[in-house]
Amino acid sequence: MASDKPSPRILTQEDLDVFQESETYNALVQFVLDLREAATGRPNSFGCVESETTKSILSLLDEIQNLTILHPAVPNEKSRFGNPAFREFYDDLENQLSGLFRRYFRDVQKDNLIDLQTYLVESFGNRTRIDYGSGHELNFICFLLCLSRLNVLQQSDFPAIVLRVFNKYIALMRVVQSQYWLEPAGSHGVWGLDDYHFLPFLFGAAQLSTHKYLRPRSIHDADVLEMYSKDYMYLAAIAFINSVKTASLRWSSPMLDDISGVKTWEKVSEGMIKMYKAEVLGKVPIMQHFLFGKILPIGELPSEKETSEEKKLTQHEGHVHADGVWGDCCGIKVPSAIAASQLSHPGELRSIPGGSMRPIPFD
């Protein structure tokens, strides 16, 4: 990829404050709200129209999933940390994206492709650290937002984008996470909701917000999860957690357990938006990795106005931090719970579509 690809620029709280007043921030929040609205009251099986663009994105995700077959995990039984074969998958994806984009996005101008390719490849995790978190998930939303801003995606596509495309991306990420044992980004993983994701809970709560019978406490009912997890992202995410960790949600995911005490899904849905703004889009440790480019720009930031003598920066694993601002990427390395689960079954060290595997006690 070219040197002018999107790059991180937020270094300080002052930079983030400026970003939160920017047009790009407002467009990003509105896009998430629009997708949430498109998901409201609709199960994954809802009969939404799939445009040619939507079908192209789904085919692109199929192509990427095929790369996981070409790059199987290497024997790594002595470590619960990320499998180095992920880097081969990542490099192959990066090398093939130009050709894939020429096939599936022929009408996109060449000078816009670099932004699209960067957001997409960065949505699968970090090559160096072999980890994944809410910032990588956000990159996939930025990929979709860029297509929307280029008028490749239309408002009428949004139901299919959230119910088909985003849902398929999450399913693909569970394959990648299971196969390569991606570590949770940072020392605690998506600020307490889940080891990796946030948006399946945000969109999933919207899906359930008009359901006549299911309530937030239903996540504790195994029969409900078995019956409805294929139709609702929130329940699928809970089922995936339960497939990896045997301890109750009170111990393995206490925030989700607390949220289950809320009376209605509508209130959960509203709370998820507030939490996403505060705990993902409002945190320097995550947003210092946010990528700005031609389609999602930002003006000059306060830290960029400082002279080189005034700036105090710390180099870490190929990126920089302002002194005193430690990144979500730079916390204590946390081993993959998926790795621990698979290691409990020697001879079954493989990716299992959908993340189904024998659970182990949370540790």
Side-chain angles (χ1 to χ4, degrees):
M1 295 184 182
S3 59
D4 59 348
K5 66 181 182 179
S7 59
R9 290 172 54 193
I10 292 173
L11 288 176
T12 65
Q13 182 62 50
E14 290 74 20
D15 291 343
L16 181 57
D17 292 342
V18 170
F19 169 61
Q20 290 180 315
E21 297 296 327
S22 71
E23 190 274 338
T24 291
Y25 175 85
N26 291 332
L28 178 59
V29 170
Q30 188 59 52
F31 187 64
V32 171
L33 290 172
D34 288 343
L35 293 182
R36 183 187 71 150
E37 179 64 26
T40 298
R42 293 168 171 169
N44 296 333
S45 57
F46 177 78
C48 47
V49 176
E50 295 182 15
S51 66
E52 289 304 312
T53 299
T54 300
K55 292 176 181 177
S56 291
I57 302 172
L58 291 171
S59 296
L60 176 60
L61 292 176
D62 283 335
E63 299 261 15
I64 295 172
Q65 182 154 346
N66 287 338
L67 294 182
T68 67
I69 299 173
L70 295 177
H71 301 284
V74 299
N76 202 34
E77 293 88 346
K78 294 183 179 180
S79 173
R80 291 193 197 178
F81 293 97
N83 194 290
F86 172 74
R87 297 189 179 109
E88 298 176 8
F89 160 79
Y90 185 101
D91 291 344
D92 199 3
L93 171 59
E94 192 170 38
N95 290 334
Q96 292 202 34
L97 274 186
S98 293
L100 291 172
F101 272 63
R102 284 195 298 270
R103 185 188 315 167
Y104 293 115
F105 302 107
R106 297 174 182 174
D107 296 333
V108 176
Q109 293 183 3
K110 188 175 181 180
D111 59 350
N112 287 322
L113 289 177
I114 186 64
D115 283 32
L116 293 172
Q117 293 172 31
T118 299
Y119 287 119
L120 184 58
V121 74
E122 292 293 338
S123 74
F124 286 92
N126 183 272
R127 183 190 185 281
T128 301
R129 300 185 300 273
I130 315 182
D131 68 7
Y132 180 95
S134 54
H136 301 104
E137 179 186 71
L138 177 58
N139 283 328
F140 189 74
I141 293 298
C142 289
F143 164 68
L144 297 174
L145 174 57
C146 286
L147 289 174
S148 179
R149 301 196 91 177
L150 294 173
N151 294 317
V152 177
L153 287 175
Q154 308 299 323
Q155 190 93 13
S156 59
D157 291 315
F158 286 4
I161 288 301
V162 66
L163 299 177
R164 301 288 191 273
V165 171
F166 182 77
N167 204 30
K168 187 172 188 121
Y169 164 73
I170 292 299
L172 173 54
M173 281 314 310
R174 287 179 182 143
V175 171
V176 173
Q177 291 153 7
S178 300
Q179 179 161 317
Y180 301 118
W181 300 355
L182 300 189
E183 302 163 25
S187 59
H188 44 336
V190 196
W191 306 98
L193 267 188
D194 171 284
D195 278 354
Y196 300 112
H197 295 287
F198 192 109
L199 290 174
F201 298 100
L202 190 155
F203 297 143
Q207 287 182 290
L208 289 161
S209 63
T210 62
H211 202 285
K212 291 183 178 180
Y213 307 110
L214 296 180
R215 296 292 179 264
R217 65 177 179 272
S218 299
I219 67 171
H220 300 289
D221 188 323
D223 291 336
V224 167
L225 294 179
E226 183 176 0
M227 185 176 300
Y228 293 103
S229 60
K230 290 183 179 179
D231 257 342
Y232 297 101
M233 282 180 255
Y234 199 109
L235 301 183
I238 297 295
F240 182 73
I241 292 172
N242 289 343
S243 76
V244 178
K245 302 171 182 177
T246 56
S248 69
L249 290 175
R250 176 173 296 277
W251 298 104
S252 67
S253 306
M255 191 172 294
L256 290 172
D257 182 67
D258 288 344
I259 292 170
S260 72
V262 177
K263 290 186 177 181
T264 68
W265 283 113
E266 186 175 11
K267 288 186 177 180
V268 173
S269 182
E270 291 299 324
M272 285 291 172
I273 284 291
K274 295 176 182 178
M275 187 178 178
Y276 194 66
K277 290 179 182 179
E279 302 297 343
V280 177
L281 301 182
K283 295 296 185 183
V284 174
I286 294 177
M287 297 307 293
Q288 66 181 354
H289 300 291
F290 186 85
L291 304 173
F292 296 98
K294 177 182 177 182
I295 306 174
L296 301 179
I298 191 70
E300 187 177 30
L301 296 172
S303 66
E304 295 170 338
K305 298 177 182 179
E306 299 175 0
T307 65
S308 57
E309 290 78 11
E310 292 174 323
K311 288 183 179 179
K312 295 181 178 179
L313 304 177
T314 300
Q315 288 281 345
H316 184 265
E317 293 188 342
H319 58 276
V320 297
H321 300 290
D323 278 6
V325 181
W326 207 235
D328 191 52
C329 59
C330 302
I332 300 170
K333 287 172 70 69
V334 177
S336 165
I338 295 171
S341 179
Q342 293 187 359
L343 281 171
S344 70
H345 276 81
E348 296 185 16
L349 302 177
R350 66 185 191 279
S351 167
I352 303 175
S356 177
M357 61 191 73
R358 181 178 175 182
I360 63 162
F362 176 76
D363 60 357

